[in-house]
Amino acid sequence: MELYSWGMYPKVKTKVYNFKDVDKLKKHLEDIKETIPYGNGRSYGDSALNDDIIYCKNYNYFLNFNEVTGVLHLQAGVLLSEILEVFVPKGWFLKVTPGTKLITVGGAIASDVHGKNHHVEGCFSECVEEFTLMLADGAVQTVKKEEELFFATCGGMGLTGVILDAKIQLKRINSKNISQTTIKTKNLKETFVAFEEYKHLDYSVAWIDCLATGDEKGKCLLMAGEFMDDGDLNFKKKKNLSIPFNFPSFSLNKLSVKAFNWLYYNKAPNGVSQAIVDINTFFYPLDAINHWNRIYGKNGFTQYQFILPKEDSYEGLEKILSKISQSGKGSFLAVLKLYGKANKNYLSFPIEGYSLALDFKIESGLFELLDELDTIVSQYNGKIYLTKDVRVSKENFENSYPFIERFRTLREKYNMTNKFQSLQSKRLKI
């Protein structure tokens, strides 16, 4: 069958093994040459694509929940949305969540996802107590914090084995509502000042106008917030809108993106404003639209997400925003976030600093622009996020991930290299 990730690029012909039984999975690993685990297809690039994939979403049962400690034991195919539907009404939430709830727990671990509170809670691996992993030879191993397989698997893009189940720590809440403060800034300098001023709040994220130039370069809407304490836990699944077909590629262009950016920026009043919003609105706005990836057309899109060290973030972002605005290939989905300290995981993305994520439709000249952005990111000792990547070079990757040789050594030690491979791992020779 033809398979692709959320960016709809690349599209590959692949054989799909539907994983539901551990013993049968072990037999499958014995019979095939190479494969890669695939969750709900929400990574953006080629990290979960290969000629043979293991479809893990249907291995998805809740196993146990400790109502005193908040530790949830569940199979790795469970979606974050399924956790929320069951546990938010009981007063529990994910300690760390990315911008979509439609990913599997296994995918969250393999990407070591992060969210709007990295400066407070770190990555998803911080809330993982332990997990079980099927290795290349079919052996099943329980992996705990501070073990080398933990450091390699969290952020390891599925290249260490198949995550079977996990124990994760949930967070106590007393409301489904968030008190949101929106700060409208006029330029990049004001944006950085606002992030620092509101970093005492648990969550923060900014939409940034990446096509703004001159004195308005870097203007944004920064949304910062924290959970309320009003006892309202009436969290229900909502009916979504849906994009029924792929948009024509020409519908997203410099003029339409500029128009969207103007409208979005001007929806907020000047200065600082307050609102009460629910979990879905604050954390998962795009999940309200099914198949929103279709707006980029049949050729698909890629998300370019990079992070720069804090001391270099302002200067580096200024250069990158200038390059993007000059190119005219701006993105209306441009998200800026503040991050805390890096963890010990070998291929985890975050470092202390600022990251920017931008969606670009696949079109002529795009990859050349991204190569130029890579050069700036490298100049400022930044990193590219593997979960979103579809084209970064081996050289740029190796220069920004200092523990890559440690990761490769572990893969050799456990005979993983010839069993677990993706298009991305082959491109980067991981």
Side-chain angles (χ1 to χ4, degrees), residues 12 14 40 51 78 82 87 97 103 115 135 176 204 215 231 255 307 346 357 375:
V12 299
T14 187
N40 198 34
D51 295 336
V78 173
E82 295 167 335
F87 289 97
T97 179
I103 66 169
L135 301 171
K176 74 173 195 309
S204 63
D215 293 340
L255 290 177
I307 190 166
Y346 300 158
T375 299

Side-chain angles (χ1 to χ4, degrees), residues 159-171:
L159 297 172
T160 62
V162 182
I163 301 168
L164 302 177
D165 58 77
K167 293 180 180 179
I168 63 173
Q169 176 69 59
L170 300 184
K171 168 183 177 174

Side-chain angles (χ1 to χ4, degrees), residues 18 49-50 77 83-84 94-95 132 153 155 158 161 163 176 199 201 230 271 290 316 349 354 412 417:
N18 192 3
L49 298 178
N50 199 1
I83 298 174
L84 299 180
L94 298 160
K95 286 188 71 174
T132 57
T153 302
I163 301 168
K176 74 173 195 309
K199 68 180 181 181
L201 296 179
D230 57 13
N290 294 332
F349 168 70
Y354 286 85
E412 292 290 343
T417 306

